[in-house]
């Protein structure tokens, strides 16, 4: 058994170590969005892409309505974006659209259909505004072959109230329309380009736009009365442009061809420079696509001033997933999680080994992940291979960081988070699997803190997605839970706190903090609870 004084020395070095590396990993915003983008099928599916697979799918109701979720997502982003005022630095992609669904300029079912689908994904690190941006990347990427990649950044912040008016409508005159785009930072050719890019997907519907699409469009298998913009409403391609310029097929769609001259907004826009922009885009399919990528990227990156976006989120070749420590009833410390490998860099037969560093910086020997527990998933970026591990750590030595080694034949690739390893804090450990839910929904949550750290207090910031008035999008409400001592387990002291009922258990997360002797602070951030049992005595 190690003497408490030794342990204190370990703790001091650990605190210093965590502080210097914590900024690099994990970046929760990037990791969460990367998960939603890359884990789209099979093991650990995040569940976003299924909504638009195939691209004709409508996830919010009957397939006979003639509606298409992928197209709705792109339209929602446009409506959120276009009321930006780039000069004063307000609006853009900020999810204010959620508060604006009753405005005539946001007519149609797309807004609440989409935000209602996104709402369960929103949490402390995934804003609704980032979901709106991601959904454009997802739609364009999924509804194209080869995949059209729009670079994604994260970090958008949700508005807490409605924003400016100013979405162009079918009846809006051309000068007003161009002014509205201009206020959002898009000049005439940008406006024409962005519109033709958007209108390669989806339809105009009698249900929502009876002044554009006549009742006759409504049929038993198209009850919403949708008329496509082009022959391939489920493919992001140049067809809409070619059909318009060659005056064939859908000839640009209902906003060009409708009998009602007042609502021919696409025709007015395209003719405003005598088709010059469109002729330029029609040079080649690749010119059309590269212009659309550039314009859509600008659209989703138009955010209120002072909202810094992350770096571009690239699919990670080697990704530690759900890494955690737990302390079992006998005081054993278990280090577990998955290492996800991507097929762009690795194969299914590559092996994964992990090494860790103790609190004093001593390296362990490498251990293998469970070779018979490799699970696979799929994405537009390739196949994912998930390697599971679950390893007991000597609590007297502890763990402060780990490294990943990938073995292919005789070559080894080391992933060490820039050298020092991926930091992990074994002083304050949240125990998600021990959460108990009371009859009234009250949660009893548990944590373990190394006794030698002499914690003065243990608290957790609880971030709970909560309903807000006027929008279907949740607000993240933060509260503080205070923990009380509740027995010991080996070298650890157990702590328990109660958390009032929450409306979305899966996306409610805790940031645990233990303030210890010597002003050291230990953390276990962004942990979800996993309910293990119910209690009926909790509600008194
Ligand atoms: C002058 C500018 C624009 C006007 C007046 C306009 C108007 C409309 C209208 C009336 C609809 C039919 C909606 C429905 O029936 O559900 C529609 C659909 C659509 N719009 Fe636009 N739009 C404009 C620009 C854009 C832009 C810039 C984008 C995206 C970059 C875009 C993306 C879409 C998409 C994807 C659809 C199909 C939605 C679906 O099938 O549910 N639009 N637009
Ligand atoms: C519009 O903006 C684009 C991109 O910012 C630029 O390339 C183009 O020259 C501009 N067009 C006009 C007519 O100002
Ligand atoms: C044409 O559209 C305008 C503007 O929405 C509307 O007021 C008018 O009733 C429409 N005309 C017909 C014949 O639908
Ligand atoms: C609706 O049914 C008709 C006749 O069977 C068919 O030609 C058409 O493609 C169908 N449309 C859709 C949207 O499924
Ligand atoms: C623009 O294109 C449309 C559709 O092909 C065509 O009807 C119109 O005559 C063209 N206008 C000019 C000025 O090129
Ligand atoms: C990771 O943790 C989350 C939250 O508890 C869970 O939903 C997800 O299934 C986990 N993924 C894996 C691969 O275990
Ligand atoms: C790790 O293994 C222990 C038994 O050795 C088990 O109790 C625990 O649930 C496992 N952890 C995970 C995440 O599977
Ligand atoms: C927790 O302990 C730290 C360090 O002793 C102290 O600064 C802080 O005020 C305490 N917080 C609470 C809520 O007691
Ligand atoms: C969208 O949902 C919000 C929040 O539930 C609601 O207030 C609003 O009326 C809905 N909008 C439409 C068009 O149904
Ligand atoms: C201590 O933890 C046990 C086991 O989870 C729990 O049943 C009990 O309610 C907790 N005690 C307090 C005071 O929170």
């Amino acid at each position: 058994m190690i003497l408490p004084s030794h342990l204190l020395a370990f703790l001091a070095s650990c605190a210093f170590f965590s502080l210097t590396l914590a900024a690099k990993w994990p970046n929760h915003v990037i990791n969460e969005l990367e998960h939603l983008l890359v884990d789209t099928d099979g093991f650990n599916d995040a569940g976003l892409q299924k909504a638009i697979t195939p691209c004709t799918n409508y996830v919010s109701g009957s397939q006979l309505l003639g509606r298409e979720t992928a197209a709705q997502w792109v339209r929602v982003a446009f409506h959120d974006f276009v009321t930006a005022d780039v000069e004063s630095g307000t609006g853009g992609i900020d999810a204010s659209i959620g508060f604006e669904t009753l405005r005539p300029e946001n007519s149609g079912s797309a807004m609440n259909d989409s935000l209602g689908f996104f709402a369960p994904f929103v949490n402390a690190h995934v804003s609704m505004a980032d979901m709106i941006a991601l959904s454009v990347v997802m739609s364009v990427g999924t509804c194209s072959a080869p995949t059209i990649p729009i670079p994604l950044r994260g970090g958008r912040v949700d508005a807490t109230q409605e924003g400016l008016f100013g979405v162009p409508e079918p009846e809006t005159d051309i000068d007003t329309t161009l002014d509205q785009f201009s206020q959002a930072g898009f000049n005439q050719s940008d406006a024409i380009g962005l519109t033709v890019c958007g209108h390669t997907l989806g339809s105009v519907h009698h249900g929502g736009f009876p002044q554009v699409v006549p009742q006759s469009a409504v049929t038993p298998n198209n009850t919403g009365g949708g008329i496509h913009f082009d022959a391939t409403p489920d493919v992001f391609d140049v067809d809409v442009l070619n059909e318009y310029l060659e005056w064939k097929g859908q000839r640009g769609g209902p906003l060009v061809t409708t009998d009602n001259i007042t609502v021919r907004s696409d025709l007015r826009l395209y003719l405003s420079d005598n088709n010059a922009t469109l002729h330029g885009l029609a040079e080649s399919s690749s010119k059309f696509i590269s212009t659309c990528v550039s314009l859509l990227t600008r659209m989703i990156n138009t955010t209120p001033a002072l909202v810094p976006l992350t770096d571009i989120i690239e699919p990670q070749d080697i990704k530690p997933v759900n890494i955690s420590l737990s302390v079992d009833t006998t005081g054993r410390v278990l280090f577990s999680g998955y290492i996800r490998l991507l097929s762009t860099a690795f194969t299914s037969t590559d092996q994964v080994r992990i090494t860790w560093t103790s609190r004093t910086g001593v390296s362990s020997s490498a251990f293998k992940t469970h070779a018979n527990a490799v699970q696979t998933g799929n994405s537009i970026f390739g196949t994912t291979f998930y390697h599971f591990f679950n390893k007991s750590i000597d609590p007297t030595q502890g763990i402060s960081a780990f490294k990943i080694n990938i073995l292919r034949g005789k070559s080894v690739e080391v992933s060490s988070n820039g050298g020092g390893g991926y930091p992990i804090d074994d002083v304050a450990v949240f125990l998600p699997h021990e959460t108990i839910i009371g009859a009234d929904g009250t949660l009893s949550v548990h944590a373990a803190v190394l006794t030698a750290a002499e914690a003065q207090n243990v608290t957790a910031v609880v971030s709970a997605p909560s309903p807000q008035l006027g929008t279907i999008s949740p607000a993240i409400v933060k509260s503080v839970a205070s923990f009380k001592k509740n027995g010991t387990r080996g070298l650890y002291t157990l702590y328990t706190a109660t958390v009032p009922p929450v409306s979305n258990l899966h996306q409610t997360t805790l940031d645990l903090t233990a303030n210890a002797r010597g002003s050291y602070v230990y953390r276990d951030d962004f942990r979800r609870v996993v309910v293990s049992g119910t209690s009926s005595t909790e509600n008194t």
Side-chain angles (χ1 to χ4, degrees):
M1 191 52 130
I2 288 276
L3 294 171
S5 61
H6 279 107
L7 213 41
L8 279 173
F10 295 161
L11 293 175
S13 64
C14 172
F16 175 73
F17 203 50
S18 310
L19 276 178
T20 52
L21 285 177
K24 285 195 120 170
W25 181 85
N27 179 316
H28 296 303
V29 171
I30 288 178
N31 279 353
E32 287 283 292
L33 291 175
E34 199 263 7
H35 171 51
L36 292 165
L37 187 64
V38 176
D39 294 306
T40 50
D41 186 37
F43 189 68
N44 205 29
D45 184 355
L48 188 59
Q49 198 184 42
K50 287 276 155 49
I52 56 166
T53 307
C55 281
T56 49
N57 193 48
Y58 179 53
V59 80
S60 308
S62 165
Q63 300 307 308
L64 299 180
L65 272 163
R67 299 196 185 273
E68 181 187 321
T69 295
Q72 289 188 331
W73 288 359
V74 174
R75 180 165 179 252
V76 169
F78 167 58
H79 283 233
D80 199 26
F81 144 79
V82 74
T83 57
D85 181 343
V86 291
E87 235 161 67
S88 60
T90 62
I93 304 287
D94 62 1
S96 64
I97 190 68
F99 295 99
E100 301 159 356
T101 62
L102 296 175
R103 298 177 179 179
E105 65 186 35
N106 295 321
S107 173
S109 57
M111 310 304 150
N112 273 357
D113 276 359
S114 304
L115 299 194
F117 184 79
F118 300 151
F121 293 88
V122 172
N123 64 38
H125 293 285
V126 177
S127 64
M128 181 59 89
D130 278 347
M131 288 301 299
I132 292 171
L134 169 61
S135 76
V136 172
V137 174
M138 198 54 108
S139 285
V140 176
T142 303
C143 306
S144 56
T147 296
I148 299 173
I150 295 179
L152 176 69
R153 296 173 189 271
R156 292 167 195 77
V157 175
D158 291 349
T160 55
Q161 57 185 41
E162 63 185 278
L164 299 176
F165 280 77
V167 181
E169 293 179 72
E171 31 287 283
T172 308
D173 65 78
I174 184 66
D175 290 341
T176 306
T177 298
L178 290 175
D179 283 349
Q180 289 169 330
F181 274 101
S182 164
Q183 184 162 307
F186 278 51
N187 66 23
Q188 181 177 18
S189 48
D190 296 337
I192 295 168
L194 189 68
T195 301
V196 78
C197 293
H199 289 174
T200 181
L201 292 175
S203 308
V204 182
H205 301 84
H206 173 74
F209 294 90
Q211 76 277 36
V212 181
V213 173
Q215 169 78 36
S216 59
V218 176
T219 63
N221 63 2
N222 184 10
T223 60
I227 299 184
H228 306 153
F229 286 108
D230 68 14
T232 53
D234 56 337
V235 184
F236 195 96
D237 62 12
V238 70
D239 285 0
V240 63
L241 180 50
N242 291 337
E243 290 182 17
Y244 168 76
L245 288 177
E246 292 164 27
W247 210 244
K248 64 177 191 194
Q250 298 299 102
R251 293 173 288 154
L255 296 171
V256 171
T257 59
T258 180
D259 288 342
N260 191 338
I261 293 171
T262 316
V263 292
R264 290 181 183 166
S265 51
D266 278 358
L267 183 63
R268 280 194 296 274
L269 187 59
Y270 300 160
L271 286 179
S272 70
D273 70 355
N274 297 317
N275 300 332
T277 299
L278 295 189
H279 279 298
L281 292 179
E283 257 172 38
S284 65
S285 168
S286 63
K287 176 75 187 296
F288 173 78
I289 285 167
S290 64
T291 305
C292 291
V293 167
S294 151
L295 293 170
L296 290 166
T297 303
R298 275 175 61 200
M299 177 177 91
I300 63 174
N301 290 348
T302 300
T303 52
L306 307 177
V307 172
L309 297 182
T310 66
D311 289 342
I312 291 171
I313 299 169
E314 305 284 1
Q316 294 171 33
D317 293 343
I318 303 174
K319 185 179 185 182
V321 173
N322 286 9
I323 305 297
S324 68
L325 295 175
S326 67
V327 180
D328 76 5
T329 49
T330 65
R332 264 197 324 168
V333 176
L334 291 158
F335 168 44
S336 68
Y338 292 85
I339 306 300
R340 192 199 72 190
L341 303 184
L342 203 55
S343 65
T344 42
F346 300 102
T347 69
S348 61
T349 55
D350 293 342
Q351 293 177 26
V352 178
R353 308 263 155 102
I354 295 171
T355 60
W356 77 84
T357 312
S358 74
R359 278 181 225 116
T360 49
V362 176
S363 292
S364 75
S365 53
F367 69 90
K368 296 180 199 174
T369 57
H370 296 230
N372 58 354
V374 180
Q375 309 271 0
T376 61
N378 278 296
S379 76
I380 55 176
F381 305 100
T383 303
T384 53
F385 309 111
Y386 278 87
H387 295 252
F388 177 69
F389 68 93
N390 184 7
K391 183 79 176 168
S392 180
I393 302 272
D394 176 357
T396 63
Q397 305 301 311
I399 177 171
S400 60
F402 65 93
K403 294 182 184 179
I404 304 162
N405 302 333
I406 320 293
L407 278 70
R408 173 182 294 168
K410 287 200 164 105
S411 76
V412 181
E413 179 165 338
V414 181
S415 179
S416 61
N417 190 36
Y422 297 89
I424 184 160
D425 185 333
D426 69 351
V427 178
V429 177
F430 182 59
L431 303 172
H433 292 86
E434 302 193 24
T435 304
I436 293 179
I437 189 162
D440 67 347
T442 301
L443 301 171
S444 173
V445 295
H446 296 85
V449 180
L450 213 51
T451 305
E454 294 181 30
Q456 315 286 298
N457 53 48
V458 178
T459 56
V461 173
V462 181
S463 301
S466 310
Q468 54 181 337
L469 218 56
T471 175
I472 213 163
S473 179
I476 303 300
V477 173
K478 293 185 186 277
S479 60
V480 176
S482 293
F483 285 76
K484 289 197 178 69
K485 281 187 187 169
N486 186 2
T488 59
R489 281 184 188 174
L491 297 184
Y492 285 80
T493 300
L494 278 187
Y495 288 82
T496 302
T498 55
V499 174
V502 296
S503 64
N504 180 346
L505 194 59
H506 181 65
Q507 297 292 11
T508 297
T509 58
L510 281 82
D511 296 331
L512 182 76
T513 299
N515 287 294
R517 215 177 83 155
S519 302
Y520 292 119
V521 182
Y522 302 95
R523 297 181 205 284
D524 193 5
D525 278 351
F526 194 53
R527 303 294 307 279
R528 290 174 167 89
V529 300
V530 180
V531 171
S532 68
T534 53
S535 140
S536 48
T537 56
E538 211 63 52
N539 53 358
T540 48

